[in-house]
Amino acid sequence: MTAPASGMAGPGEAAAALLLLGAVAAAAGCGYQSCPPTRPDLLNVHLVPHTHDDVGWLKTVEQYFYGVRNEVQHAGVQYILDSVVAQLVANPSRRFVYAEVAFLARWWRQQDEATRRTVRQLVEQGRLEIVGGGWCMSDEAAAHYVPALEQLALGRRFLRRELGGCGTPRVAWQIDPFGHSRQLAAIFAQMGYDGLFVGRVDHQDKETRERLREMELLWRASGSLPPPAADIFTGILPNIYNPPSGFCWDQLCSDPPVVDEDSEENNVDGIVTTFLQIAASQAERYRTNHIIMTMGSDFQYENANLWFKNMDKLIAHVNARQANGSRVHVLYSTPSCYLWELHRANLSWSLKTDDFFPYSDGPHQFWTGYFTSRPAFKRYERLSNNFLQICSQLEALAGPASREGPYGLGDSSVLREAVAVAQHHDAVSGTEKQHVADDYARQLAAGWESCQLLVANALASLGGHKENFIFCNALNVSVCPLTEAAGRFTIILYNPLGRPLSWPIRLPVNGESYAVTDPQGQPVPSEVVPVSKFTHRLRGGGSGGAARELLFQASAPPLGFSTFTVSRLSHGDPPVSPPRTTVSRQPREIQNEHVRVLFDPLTGHLKEIQNLDKSISLPVFQSFYWYNASIGDGESSQTSGAYIFRPNSSEPIPVSGSKRVSTYLVKNALVQEVHQNFSSWCSQVVRLHAGQPYVELEWTVGPIPVADGWGKEIISRFETTLQTDARFYTDSNGRQILERRRDYRPTWNLSQTEPVAGNYYPVNSRIFIKDKKFQLTVLTDRSQGGSSIFDGSLELMVHRRLLYDDNRGVGEPLLELGADKQGLVVRGRHLVLLDTVESAADRHRLLAQELFMAPYAVLAPGGGPSYRRGQPGLRQFSGLRRELPPNVHLLTLTPWEAGTLLLRLEHQFERGESANGSQPVTIDLLNLFSAFAITSLREMSLGADLPLDAVSRLVWTPATGPSQPRPVPKLDPSRITLQPMEIRTFLATVRYEEPGAGWGGL
């Protein structure tokens, strides 16, 4: 290897050099005490050296880390960290901030102990500051609050373990996500962050805030939690996250370096003068005598000497001007040191209660397309988190037997890290290159495999039988070789919710009649129906050919499983019940005991929904349309792309070429379905299961045709007679609900340039419209964009296929060819609820959790040997001694250190949205679980890396008046009270019960 360049040291040398710095470096330790001195009489410019390292975007995570495929983008994160550490050691006044723990953890594994000691010392001196601290910098529109919270906790846990208390970030650093959500802000506050810095806010919002000097504010991120529990100080950075124009000194930049020697290239005066002008201009838009400048950008600092050498000179020469009367002081700083100075200013700050969606960076440029982009990956991410929660719960319930058992070594960390990576703002957002999206999916698939081993070990241990467990991953297209071929098999249905659940099972079969028995051996009603034409088409060639599906309603206890046995009846067997499925044309209605749905006999469209329990009805017309994607026009050259949604007309085009949609009805005692065919590439099943108080719409869209040269954005639109007064409601990351108003923003006077795209908002789990009496709610199974473009309507974008790039850096159109290269086909579900306004939350809150934490079916041929000699087999098991109240959700149950489990319980209602659901609720945690006994309990911060009583946050004063944090109450494990929207986090030391003893087994 070549000798280090001048001014650089290798990591080994860095360790030796650092020993000489002890006397020079700040002795006060990390945190706010380590901040550099500032000048109260001058304008202080805080230079924050940083790199923004996307956890996948134009290259995969590994390509970015190792510096592979630099022809796509020059970026090698391992070299950035090597170089930065060496440059920090070389000069004790220098500082640097780093955010993405997915990369830091990988780099850390490469380092020897001497380099690790060096890094720890830099962190302890406050010179290397970790900001954000999540596994990635998560998206805020398409990320659900559970995996978003868990990826933050995963990163913070690594930092605490490897870097100690000084590695705990004080500042949230969301500098690149394309809009900012209220729920994520609330999570940052509850994790103990003192402040949040963001880069991207709407250009009109930013112009207004600059004029009013409100670029820094206090964000009240919950209407349910008492202030300041969810308040967080929020700073909007001046230049997204880039350096001032002309001051980029990376090897990727072409700005001139500072030449301060006797040379004809000497440019000190010009550079200093320009810098002072930029600083003065920026200071006019901020309130204190402190301003921040981000000195870095995407994947910069691979040769950190270039940056630091020039910043050293800039600082020296700008500060030298003070002798001539300059009133500007420049210093190396960090976001937390800048935040500390703002806090010391002792001002009151404007209060914000809404969110920062949608984001536009210019007229006609709304970043609302990514709310839907890559819909199949958005669903796979959601399913993967669902399976991760099940995997974690079973690992906690079965204990060590789940990690090492008859099926091999089970490991939940592979899926945990893959789901964490998927939260990145170029992952679940759908704004990455196609080969990177493929790699994200590959990482998730590898995680599934590791977790499937763990789940098999756990089910064998808990259930007492070593079965040949089968995981049928293609049930969404009704393919499962075991059920198609076997004459007898078992289904183990695991329910991750804290309450018992009834769940429809649908399996591909080739027999005509089957007998199904429940865990007690009692018969369960079942039906066999033909596989839909839509599903046949989806399978393509050679991927399984079952012509029928077996349907039955299965139930599972809370946090547990039920085992069902299915036997095919031969021709000689008397049928359990005569087959009663009928197929007919031109359906007029379907109904069960709760809901009736009417269809127009002439057009085949849905026309009315009736809630039979409440005796209410609402005309509802539903159909599919497409917006023609803009390729730019006279007003703006902006095209529709992975990020940007821009239709070339506000009027969408019906998918069905004729007014009539072909339909047929499938009807039996368990289910009633109307199959609607809108075109050769768009179909839907309107389904009512027996006992189900909502309408299920299963849509199948694709391949979207683009041979006509038009990109298309496909919506499902609902039209009603509700008087909605331009208002509609969407969720924030699947949790809080926010009111939206068409062509309106709560904090500035909007000049609307895109009447459709400018009214789109992220819909993570639900959207609804209401009048004084009735509410129509639509729940989604993944993140989508949604809106109400005219009163009484709501729409959700389900799929999009585009022919042009939108010029935001990804450099390729969103074409998604799919497995057969003909174009991606996507299938999903919308659940539709009609209810009174007063009762709606009681339904949609619980139903959204059922969709998000759905039960999971594992199959087996049956008849496997005993797991332990003498252990009775359990056909039913519950990890809880009693079910949780309906307004309480078990958010997290996962192993932590040896002998300890992490528990999070949440109140899943907002204040005032339900007469019963919004009440405080108290539970006994000590006697809740059956698989283990809790021997001690400690309450933790939301991130689980700090005891709750050790969390101390800066207190900020809003313009509306101060509010003081409430003291932490004494913990009584037998009386855990949850207030609306409250999440409480515990580390429990546990003792596992003997198998079968005291378990909720049958």
Side-chain angles (χ1 to χ4, degrees):
M1 87 180 242
T2 57
S6 170
M8 295 184 69
E13 297 167 64
L18 194 70
L19 297 176
L20 306 175
L21 297 175
V24 188
C30 61
Y32 299 123
Q33 314 90 287
S34 69
C35 289
T38 58
R39 295 283 301 273
D41 54 328
L42 302 179
L43 173 63
N44 295 271
V45 182
H46 295 248
L47 300 185
V48 176
H50 80 106
T51 179
H52 177 65
D53 296 347
D54 289 304
V55 185
W57 180 38
L58 309 183
K59 304 200 295 189
T60 67
V61 180
E62 300 224 338
Q63 288 167 353
Y64 271 138
F65 181 76
Y66 291 111
V68 178
R69 292 200 65 187
N70 275 352
E71 75 280 3
V72 174
Q73 182 184 11
H74 188 99
V77 175
Q78 60 173 337
Y79 307 120
I80 293 172
L81 290 165
D82 288 345
S83 184
V84 163
V85 168
Q87 287 303 313
L88 290 176
V89 168
N91 181 339
S93 71
R94 294 171 175 172
R95 294 179 179 245
F96 193 81
V97 300
Y98 197 75
E100 294 85 6
V101 177
F103 286 133
L104 182 64
R106 189 179 285 251
W107 179 81
W108 189 258
R109 290 196 294 270
Q110 293 181 340
Q111 305 312 307
D112 59 23
E113 192 48 47
T115 306
R116 290 182 179 189
R117 259 197 318 274
T118 299
V119 171
R120 285 192 195 103
Q121 285 180 278
L122 290 169
V123 169
E124 284 161 8
Q125 293 166 358
R127 299 204 294 115
L128 175 59
E129 178 174 306
I130 307 300
V131 289
W135 205 246
C136 66
M137 186 182 297
S138 75
D139 181 57
E140 300 201 36
H144 191 278
Y145 75 97
V146 175
L149 184 166
E150 292 195 345
Q151 74 85 21
L152 270 171
L154 181 66
R156 289 174 65 100
R157 188 181 184 194
F158 168 86
L159 295 170
R160 189 85 182 173
R161 185 174 67 241
E162 301 297 343
L163 301 179
C166 289
T168 300
R170 305 291 316 197
V171 165
W173 189 245
Q174 292 290 102
I175 57 174
D176 194 27
F178 330 126
H180 303 283
S181 79
R182 195 180 192 214
Q183 180 57 44
L184 213 58
I187 285 171
F188 287 131
Q190 292 168 85
M191 280 202 176
Y193 289 90
D194 284 327
L196 161 66
F197 287 96
V198 300
R200 298 185 186 274
V201 299
D202 186 280
H203 71 108
Q204 292 182 37
D205 189 9
K206 188 176 184 182
E207 287 161 14
T208 303
R209 290 183 175 280
E210 287 178 332
R211 191 174 69 251
L212 298 174
R213 300 179 93 179
E214 290 185 355
M215 292 286 280
E216 288 152 341
L217 57 125
L218 193 63
W219 193 354
R220 181 152 293 163
S222 172
S224 296
L225 299 173
D231 292 0
I232 191 157
F233 182 90
T234 303
I236 300 165
L237 296 169
N239 201 24
I240 306 182
Y241 56 84
N242 299 306
S245 178
F247 291 82
C248 184
W249 290 307
D250 196 75
Q251 64 186 19
L252 300 172
C253 303
S254 54
D255 292 340
V258 180
V259 180
D260 58 356
E261 292 168 2
D262 184 11
S263 164
E264 63 186 32
E265 296 296 337
N266 185 300
N267 58 2
V268 169
D269 280 352
I271 280 182
V272 170
T273 299
T274 301
F275 183 84
L276 291 173
Q277 289 168 348
I278 290 170
S281 173
Q282 185 178 325
E284 290 173 4
R285 302 191 290 275
Y286 290 80
R287 288 182 65 195
T288 74
N289 64 323
H290 293 268
I291 61 172
I292 187 171
M293 292 184 183
T294 45
M295 306 303 281
S297 194
D298 292 7
F299 298 98
Q300 295 194 358
Y301 285 80
E302 200 170 301
N303 181 354
N305 180 48
L306 296 177
W307 259 115
F308 281 115
K309 189 170 186 176
N310 283 284
M311 284 189 292
D312 288 347
K313 292 179 178 182
L314 178 73
I315 290 169
H317 290 295
V318 170
N319 290 347
R321 285 270 184 107
Q322 292 166 18
N324 298 328
S326 169
R327 310 296 298 161
V328 175
H329 178 69
V330 192
L331 63 150
Y332 281 117
S333 189
T334 65
S336 71
C337 290
Y338 173 66
L339 187 74
W340 177 244
E341 295 293 347
L342 298 182
H343 187 259
R344 286 178 62 197
N346 202 23
L347 301 173
S348 62
W349 303 89
S350 64
L351 193 68
K352 180 181 177 69
T353 57
D354 58 321
D355 63 4
F356 288 99
F357 286 116
Y359 165 61
S360 72
D361 55 358
H364 306 286
Q365 298 168 186
F366 283 92
W367 299 44
T368 54
Y370 81 97
F371 301 162
T372 296
S373 295
R374 301 196 184 280
F377 181 72
K378 279 180 164 65
R379 177 62 181 151
Y380 191 35
E381 177 274 329
R382 193 65 61 91
L383 281 171
S384 298
N385 177 73
N386 192 167
F387 192 56
L388 172 62
Q389 301 305 321
I390 287 167
C391 181
S392 297
Q393 287 184 7
L394 283 167
E395 187 178 3
L397 293 170
S402 62
R403 292 185 285 277
E404 205 166 329
Y407 304 93
L409 296 175
D411 184 2
S412 60
S413 69
V414 184
L415 185 55
R416 185 168 290 107
E417 290 183 15
V419 170
V421 164
Q423 305 315 305
H424 169 58
H425 60 268
D426 289 306
V428 69
S429 59
T431 54
E432 65 275 33
K433 281 187 179 290
Q434 184 62 53
H435 81 278
V436 179
D438 295 343
D439 185 68
Y440 288 136
R442 180 197 59 76
Q443 290 182 54
L444 290 172
W448 278 74
E449 286 188 15
S450 292
C451 257
Q452 283 172 350
L453 287 176
L454 194 152
V455 167
N457 285 335
L459 288 176
S461 169
L462 295 171
H465 285 288
K466 288 187 278 191
E467 299 284 1
N468 178 23
F469 294 113
I470 306 288
F471 296 85
C472 281
N473 295 328
L475 286 175
N476 61 332
V477 291
S478 204
V479 172
C480 180
L482 173 69
T483 63
E484 291 168 41
R488 183 183 172 90
F489 56 89
T490 62
I491 298 143
I492 303 103
L493 183 70
Y494 180 82
N495 170 22
L497 291 171
R499 60 179 187 276
L501 206 60
S502 176
W503 195 255
I505 299 289
R506 184 178 281 255
L507 298 167
V509 293
N510 283 308
E512 293 181 11
S513 185
Y514 289 79
V516 181
T517 55
D518 70 10
Q520 291 76 37
Q522 296 301 306
V524 176
S526 64
E527 300 280 355
V528 173
V529 300
V531 168
S532 77
K533 299 169 188 171
F534 313 145
T535 297
H536 271 299
R537 197 185 306 151
L538 260 185
R539 287 174 179 166
S543 59
R548 304 179 187 93
E549 291 176 322
L550 171 69
L551 270 62
F552 66 94
Q553 200 72 15
S555 58
L559 218 67
F561 61 79
S562 294
T563 304
F564 297 82
T565 302
V566 176
S567 307
R568 184 166 61 204
L569 300 175
S570 60
H571 290 299
D573 294 331
V576 178
S577 58
R580 290 157 300 178
T581 297
T582 60
V583 178
S584 58
R585 296 276 163 198
Q586 292 187 317
R588 290 175 179 267
E589 67 173 56
I590 53 176
Q591 99 170 60
N592 63 16
E593 56 270 52
H594 302 295
V595 186
R596 179 185 291 128
V597 183
L598 305 182
F599 296 83
D600 187 318
L602 296 176
T603 68
H605 283 105
L606 189 155
K607 75 169 186 180
E608 186 177 318
I609 298 174
Q610 299 175 359
N611 178 330
L612 302 177
D613 299 327
K614 304 277 176 68
S615 300
I616 59 176
S617 65
L618 181 69
V620 180
F621 171 85
Q622 184 273 336
S623 193
F624 290 90
Y625 301 83
W626 57 277
Y627 288 109
N628 193 346
S630 176
I631 59 171
D633 57 23
E635 283 189 292
S636 168
S637 61
Q638 183 61 59
T639 55
S640 226
Y643 300 85
I644 307 285
F645 170 35
R646 188 177 182 222
N648 73 356
S649 165
S650 297
E651 289 299 320
I653 299 159
V655 165
S656 175
S658 72
K659 291 198 171 171
R660 169 150 191 79
V661 177
S662 67
T663 59
Y664 66 93
L665 172 71
V666 175
K667 186 174 180 178
N668 57 49
L670 292 182
V671 73
Q672 297 186 20
E673 301 176 339
V674 171
H675 294 237
Q676 301 171 307
N677 196 44
F678 292 85
S679 75
S680 61
W681 52 272
C682 178
S683 60
Q684 181 169 259
V685 179
V686 183
R687 181 178 291 133
L688 277 181
H689 286 282
Q692 166 183 296
Y694 55 87
V695 187
E696 177 182 322
L697 306 183
E698 184 183 67
W699 46 268
T700 305
V701 176
I704 299 173
V706 290
D708 55 10
W710 292 348
K712 298 177 182 64
E713 329 223 19
I714 316 304
I715 63 165
S716 172
R717 178 180 278 178
F718 300 79
E719 299 177 28
T720 76
T721 54
L722 292 175
Q723 302 293 308
T724 54
D725 192 26
R727 286 164 168 80
F728 58 105
Y729 301 80
T730 64
D731 66 280
S732 180
N733 306 105
R735 199 153 191 261
Q736 300 182 54
I737 306 292
L738 292 176
E739 180 186 274
R740 310 299 192 180
R741 282 171 61 186
R742 198 161 52 250
D743 297 332
Y744 174 81
R745 303 291 185 266
T747 57
W748 83 91
N749 291 325
L750 173 68
S751 171
Q752 183 63 277
T753 58
E754 288 289 325
V756 175
N759 285 307
Y760 257 62
Y761 288 86
V763 177
N764 228 275
S765 64
R766 76 209 82 179
I767 180 172
F768 60 80
I769 51 175
K770 64 181 183 178
D771 62 13
K772 297 279 191 298
K773 291 182 180 175
F774 305 137
Q775 178 170 318
L776 185 77
T777 309
V778 181
L779 291 97
T780 65
D781 63 355
R782 73 201 74 193
S783 289
Q784 296 173 335
S787 189
S788 173
I789 299 300
F790 54 90
D791 280 6
S793 77
L794 65 80
E795 63 187 57
L796 288 155
M797 188 183 291
V798 296
H799 198 357
R800 56 202 307 256
R801 192 177 185 197
L802 306 165
L803 301 175
Y804 296 90
D805 177 54
D806 54 9
N807 201 30
R808 290 303 181 281
V810 78
E812 64 181 35
L814 187 69
L815 261 174
E816 291 206 281
L817 294 176
D820 63 359
K821 306 302 180 193
Q822 301 302 303
L824 184 70
V825 183
V826 183
R827 171 170 281 179
R829 293 193 301 157
H830 288 147
L831 307 186
V832 184
L833 285 165
L834 172 64
D835 213 328
T836 61
V837 169
E838 301 78 41
S839 304
D842 292 328
R843 287 256 193 250
H844 73 67
R845 283 289 177 194
L846 273 59
L847 193 53
Q849 287 293 10
E850 284 179 29
L851 257 179
F852 178 70
M853 293 273 278
Y856 188 80
V858 181
L859 295 111
S866 288
Y867 182 77
R868 293 182 191 85
R869 190 175 300 164
Q871 179 189 351
L874 291 179
R875 294 180 61 80
Q876 194 165 41
F877 162 85
S878 175
L880 299 184
R881 295 184 189 278
R882 67 186 66 81
E883 67 179 273
L884 289 171
N887 49 3
V888 176
H889 176 54
L890 180 64
L891 187 67
T892 307
L893 174 62
T894 191
W896 207 244
E897 311 295 346
T900 62
L901 302 177
L902 177 66
L903 293 166
R904 286 192 189 94
L905 289 163
E906 70 164 322
H907 195 305
Q908 60 183 2
F909 281 74
E910 290 192 71
R911 196 173 68 193
E913 69 179 357
S914 162
N916 295 320
S918 296
Q919 297 301 317
V921 60
T922 301
I923 57 169
D924 177 358
L925 203 49
L926 284 182
N927 295 305
L928 183 62
F929 295 95
S930 65
F932 49 80
I934 294 176
T935 57
S936 70
L937 197 68
R938 182 156 202 194
E939 187 156 10
M940 307 296 286
S941 68
L942 185 57
D945 55 337
L946 287 170
L948 186 62
D949 54 17
V951 175
S952 173
R953 297 177 66 216
L954 298 181
V955 178
W956 302 83
T957 305
T960 53
S963 50
Q964 288 300 318
R966 301 188 175 192
V968 175
K970 189 173 186 300
L971 180 62
D972 178 357
S974 65
R975 289 188 60 79
I976 301 293
T977 299
L978 292 161
Q979 302 291 336
M981 283 283 110
E982 185 176 19
I983 304 174
R984 295 184 68 176
T985 305
F986 304 95
L987 277 183
T989 307
V990 300
R991 183 184 68 250
Y992 283 91
E993 307 284 0
E994 284 300 308
W999 283 8
L1002 292 166

